């Protein structure tokens, strides 16, 4: 297998989360379930209607361009891409051809060719019977299209890129980018060539990939399929393939007869844009609206919290966790911050998975209360078991950790005198076990600690209990 090199280029469409559609005032609502309600004469292509450019959509793509360090167009225009399909009500799609809003740029080590703005199509429905239906709610929704250079060399790399792109779209708040909802759609172009051959092999385009997993799996499958073809002396045909989720295989959809002729030409109904003449589109203004981006946040978390690997990604992809850590860290020392990180990435994340948190913008408890909980643990007021129990209550109902600890009898006993009293009782009641321990049976100590914890109703500081048990036994 290592005799072949794979080349992958991605084309990604992202629905922009503007209030209204690309060229009219119809609502842009991907969650609308009723068909054909967010429509007007413009987006269903009635003759005589005129499109008007959605300024926000242009702004979103320019922001994206800045974030990926691309070159923003100064002059740009919209073109008609002519083809007939029931979900294209005008008989053409308004897109950009010669003058994309953004050229070049880079994301996650992958060079970008261009990023442009167009309108989405409607949705055709073919599974109801002997007829077809069309829903135009999506027709005219602003769509950002991004094309990468053919520089990706593996399925894993493609997956990393696609995930990073989703993260960036969300950080910039320009697209929800849910792949399952079709808000982000990936097409993968894949070719293989023998090692040592400089020109690329014939590419195949795989469409309709609606999860990251499908992106990765379809690329793996295609690379293998194409290598097998070449190995058996056959040729790869340039074609469009689909991906079968159930069988996890790609299948031929249509062969590329010849290059499509879309007869692109500038849309005469729309004005050309001179970006530098529009104050809201000046780089300085746009830059101000760009928040801290994932790459920068990773660096900061590495530096400030000493984090990396999968832990850092939990904070990068979950704003609630990040806010909790950053705001509670203000009340904690370095060691306590490490403890806080562990409790957020294990326990809080676990609770979040159970879905009991109904507040999407935060938690039932404040970062300050969480910090107090962590400090109680680090100062031995409560055990690690106690943290879990208190956190479960705080997560569900909120509340002060000290009060919950007292109510639930979770304040740890650190008073030596009180623990020694417990130790003496345990030793008296378990003489045979004590003897076993003295004869070298290590596990007996665990039993004795267990008895002590029980006797103290779970309140004894376990490490202090253990220390005092060993000390008292050695005296005997
Ligand atoms: P087309 O004219 O078929 O649309 P483009 O040159 O516009 O092809 O490229 C479309 C996508 O395919 C881009 O993402 C590009 O990086 C990728 N691509 C181009 N050639 C190859 C190749 N030989 N192997 C893999 N990907 C390729
Ligand atoms: Mg192309």
């Amino acid at each position: 297998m290592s005799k072949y090199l794979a080349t992958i280029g991605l084309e990604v469409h992202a629905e922009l989360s503007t209030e209204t559609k690309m060229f009219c005032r119809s609502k842009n609502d991907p969650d609308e379930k009723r068909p054909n309600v967010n429509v007007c004469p413009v987006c269903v292509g009635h003759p005589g209607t005129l499109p008007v450019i959605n300024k926000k959509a242009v702004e979103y793509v320019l922001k994206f361009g800045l974030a990926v360090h691309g070159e923003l167009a100064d002059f740009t225009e919209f073109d008609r891409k002519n083809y007939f399909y029931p979900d294209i009500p005008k008989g053409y799609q308004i897109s950009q051809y010669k003058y994309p809003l953004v050229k070049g740029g880079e994301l996650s080590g992958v060079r970008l060719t261009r990023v442009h703005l167009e309108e989405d199509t409607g949705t055709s429905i073919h599974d109801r019977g002997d007829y077809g239906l069309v829903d135009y709610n999506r027709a005219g929704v602003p769509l950002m299209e991004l094309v990468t250079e053919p520089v990706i060399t593996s399925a894993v790399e493609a997956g990393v890129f696609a995930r990073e792109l989703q993260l960036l779209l969300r950080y910039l708040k320009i697209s929800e980018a849910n792949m399952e909802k079709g808000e982000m759609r990936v097409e993968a172009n894949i070719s293989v060539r023998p090692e040592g051959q400089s020109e690329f092999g014939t590419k195949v385009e795989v469409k309709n990939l609606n999860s990251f997993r499908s992106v990765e799996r379809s690329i793996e499958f295609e690379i293998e399929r194409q290598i097998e073809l070449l190995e058996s002396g056959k040729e790869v045909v340039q074609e469009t393939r689909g991906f079968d989720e159930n069988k996890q295989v790609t299948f031929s959809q249509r062969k590329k007869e010849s290059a499509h002729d879309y007869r692109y030409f500038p849309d005469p109904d729309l004005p050309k844009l001179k970006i530098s003449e529009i104050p809201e589109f000046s780089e300085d203004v746009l830059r101000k609206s760009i928040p801290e981006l994932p790459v920068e946040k990773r660096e900061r978390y590495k530096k400030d919290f000493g984090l990396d690997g999968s832990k850092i990604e939990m904070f990068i992809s979950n704003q609630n966790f990040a806010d909790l850590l950053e705001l509670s860290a203000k009340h904690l020392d370095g060691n306590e911050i490490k403890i806080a990180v562990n409790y957020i990435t294990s326990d809080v994340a676990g609770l979040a998975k159970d879905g009991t948190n109904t507040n999407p913008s935060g938690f039932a408890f404040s970062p300050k209360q969480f910090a107090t909980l962590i400090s109680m643990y680090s100062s031995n007021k409560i055990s690690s078991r106690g943290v879990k129990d208190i956190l479960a209550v705080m997560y569900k109902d909120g509340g002060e950790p000290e009060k919950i600890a007292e109510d639930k009898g979770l304040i740890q006993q650190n008073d030596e005198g009180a623990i020694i009293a417990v130790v003496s009782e345990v030793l008296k009641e378990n003489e045979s076990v004590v003897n076993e321990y003295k004869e070298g049976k290590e596990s007996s100590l665990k039993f004795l600690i267990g008895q002590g914890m029980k006797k103290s109703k779970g309140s004894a500081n376990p490490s202090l209990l253990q220390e005092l048990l060993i000390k008292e036994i050695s005296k005997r």
Side-chain angles (χ1 to χ4, degrees), residues 11 81 97 114 145 147 189 203 205 256 262 264:
E11 293 170 277
K81 181 181 181 180
Y97 189 56
R114 57 186 274 151
E145 176 174 343
V147 181
N189 297 271
K203 76 173 158 74
E205 181 175 358
K256 211 157 199 166
Y262 292 118
Y264 280 102

Side-chain angles (χ1 to χ4, degrees), residues 60-290:
Y60 281 5
V61 175
L62 291 173
K63 263 170 80 169
F64 182 87
L66 275 184
V68 295
H69 309 288
E71 183 197 330
L72 307 193
D74 186 27
F75 173 86
T76 193
E77 66 184 3
F78 289 92
D79 298 281
R80 290 188 181 178
K81 181 181 181 180
N82 299 279
Y83 64 105
F84 177 78
Y85 208 71
D87 58 25
I88 294 273
K90 294 191 289 287
Y92 57 85
Q93 177 190 28
I94 304 178
S95 180
Q96 295 193 289
Y97 189 56
K98 234 176 163 176
Y99 301 99
L101 275 169
V102 180
K103 277 193 212 152
E106 179 273 335
L107 180 66
S108 181
V110 174
R111 260 186 300 128
L112 309 181
T113 312
R114 57 186 274 151
V115 186
H116 72 246
L117 187 53
E118 57 188 31
E119 56 177 341
D120 210 344
T121 63
T123 10
S124 297
I125 298 152
H126 298 298
D127 59 357
R128 302 290 162 87
D130 238 0
Y131 51 87
L133 295 169
V134 195
D135 176 4
Y136 291 112
N137 282 341
R138 204 183 68 178
V141 161
L143 202 58
M144 183 186 101
E145 176 174 343
L146 166 157
V147 181
T148 79
E149 290 287 294
V151 291
I152 300 169
T153 59
S154 71
V156 172
E157 232 180 273
V160 168
F161 174 84
R163 287 185 178 84
E164 193 65 14
L165 175 58
Q166 181 187 60
L167 210 50
L168 180 59
L169 293 167
R170 290 179 174 174
Y171 268 59
L172 292 170
K173 295 196 166 56
I174 63 175
S175 172
E176 303 283 327
N178 286 310
M179 286 195 74
E180 325 73 62
K181 286 170 128 187
E183 293 163 337
M184 176 170 144
R185 311 196 280 271
V186 177
E187 289 157 31
N189 297 271
I190 305 143
S191 68
V192 301
R193 67 181 197 272
E195 219 169 69
Q197 176 184 315
S198 59
E199 65 272 25
F200 292 148
T202 305
K203 76 173 158 74
V204 157
E205 181 175 358
V206 183
K207 285 194 183 279
N208 305 327
L209 302 169
N210 47 25
S211 70
F212 293 116
R213 185 84 200 112
S214 297
V215 172
E216 291 161 345
R217 272 301 298 145
S218 65
I219 293 173
E220 278 166 20
F221 180 87
E222 261 313 298
I223 293 172
E224 269 177 50
R225 189 186 69 88
Q226 293 180 19
I227 290 174
E228 271 169 34
L229 279 174
L230 297 184
E231 282 285 272
S232 58
K234 294 186 188 122
E235 281 186 350
V236 175
V237 219
Q238 186 172 343
E239 62 182 345
T240 302
R241 296 175 74 88
F243 182 62
D244 185 325
E245 292 268 350
N246 296 321
K247 299 196 189 120
Q248 297 276 297
V249 299
T250 66
F251 59 90
S252 182
Q253 281 185 319
R254 59 184 151 84
K255 312 267 181 239
K256 211 157 199 166
E257 316 83 35
S258 56
H260 276 288
D261 183 5
Y262 292 118
R263 292 171 294 124
Y264 280 102
F265 65 88
D267 193 313
D269 289 342
L270 288 164
K272 322 266 174 209
L273 299 181
K274 189 92 171 71
I275 300 292
S276 56
E277 286 171 3
I278 304 166
E280 294 94 319
F281 294 162
S282 91
E283 283 203 21
D284 292 342
V285 173
L286 291 170
R287 226 174 268 288
K288 283 202 188 87
S289 66
I290 295 183

Side-chain angles (χ1 to χ4, degrees), residues 333-397:
D333 67 27
N335 187 45
E336 288 171 327
I337 290 173
K338 288 213 171 68
I339 298 170
V341 164
N342 285 332
Y343 276 106
I344 295 171
T345 54
S346 57
D347 294 78
V348 178
L351 291 163
K353 254 198 205 110
D354 296 342
T356 41
N357 180 20
T358 50
N359 179 0
S361 61
F363 298 107
F365 54 90
S366 68
K368 179 95 199 300
Q369 289 168 330
F370 181 71
T372 304
L373 178 70
I374 298 301
S375 301
M376 285 165 72
Y377 172 69
S378 77
S379 61
N380 279 326
K381 277 209 188 75
I382 51 174
S383 66
S384 58
R385 180 70 249 165
V387 180
K388 284 175 195 291
D389 292 349
I390 296 165
L391 199 51
V393 176
M394 285 167 68
Y395 191 86
K396 202 166 156 284
D397 306 318

